[in-house]
Amino acid sequence: LFQSYDYFMRGRDAENLEDIIRGLASDLRNLRQEDRENKEAIRILNKNQRASYQKLGIVRYNAFEKMGGDLSFACALLDYTNSGLIINSVHSREGCYVYVKIVDRGQTEVLLGKEEKEALEQALGYKERV
């Protein structure tokens, strides 16, 4: 302890020590301000992250038998509250048709097709993606 005290006090007078203490107090105030700013930034990031789409389910399928390939798909995109949308793209020889269904807290107001339901279950974590 004496060695630590001696090392700390060596070459310093009371005025230098006072300047050091004032500098440390100023640094502490600055650190507290930065801490408040960082906490606010983290709060905003968490809020934005909850609103972004973070859950995905996608199912490729053949909409019409013998029409070639799994070119149709259903894709579910959900946020933290399990709200979002389901996009269903149906590919045929005549063209491609895209449908969107809204999801609110994991539920839809309209009836879902088999592939749409499977994509929603993947996004909700009930089924694994294949």
Side-chain angles (χ1 to χ4, degrees), residues 6-42:
D6 184 48
Y7 178 75
F8 179 73
M9 295 302 287
R10 187 172 299 154
R12 296 190 175 128
D13 56 17
E15 288 182 22
N16 288 343
L17 192 55
E18 183 180 351
D19 291 341
I20 290 172
I21 292 171
R22 284 183 188 211
L24 290 173
S26 174
D27 290 346
L28 181 60
R29 279 192 297 278
N30 292 338
L31 286 173
R32 285 183 177 157
Q33 178 61 30
E34 286 181 31
D35 183 50
R36 281 192 291 275
E37 292 169 1
N38 288 338
K39 285 179 180 175
E40 179 63 17
I42 290 170

Side-chain angles (χ1 to χ4, degrees), residues 35-129:
D35 183 50
R36 281 192 291 275
E37 292 169 1
N38 288 338
K39 285 179 180 175
E40 179 63 17
I42 290 170
R43 188 188 66 75
I44 290 169
L45 286 172
N46 283 335
K47 182 180 175 186
N48 291 341
Q49 187 264 339
R50 285 179 178 240
S52 65
Y53 292 127
Q54 50 188 277
K55 300 174 186 176
L56 169 73
I58 190 160
V59 175
R60 291 181 55 191
Y61 64 98
N62 189 352
F64 304 101
E65 295 298 320
K66 300 177 187 170
M67 298 273 294
D70 290 341
L71 299 176
S72 301
F73 68 90
C75 177
L77 298 168
L78 304 177
D79 65 8
Y80 178 79
T81 64
N82 293 330
S83 298
L85 53 95
I86 298 172
I87 301 170
N88 190 359
S89 174
V90 180
H91 181 80
S92 69
R93 286 187 184 169
E94 291 79 36
C96 184
Y97 304 94
V98 178
Y99 304 95
V100 175
K101 296 179 181 178
I102 302 299
V103 179
D104 186 28
R105 293 184 202 100
Q107 303 293 322
T108 61
E109 292 183 5
V110 293
L111 189 62
L112 297 178
K114 180 181 91 174
E115 294 83 7
E116 294 169 327
K117 187 174 181 180
E118 187 176 338
L120 179 59
E121 288 173 349
Q122 284 179 9
L124 291 171
Y126 300 149
K127 279 189 167 182
E128 283 193 34
R129 278 185 236 153

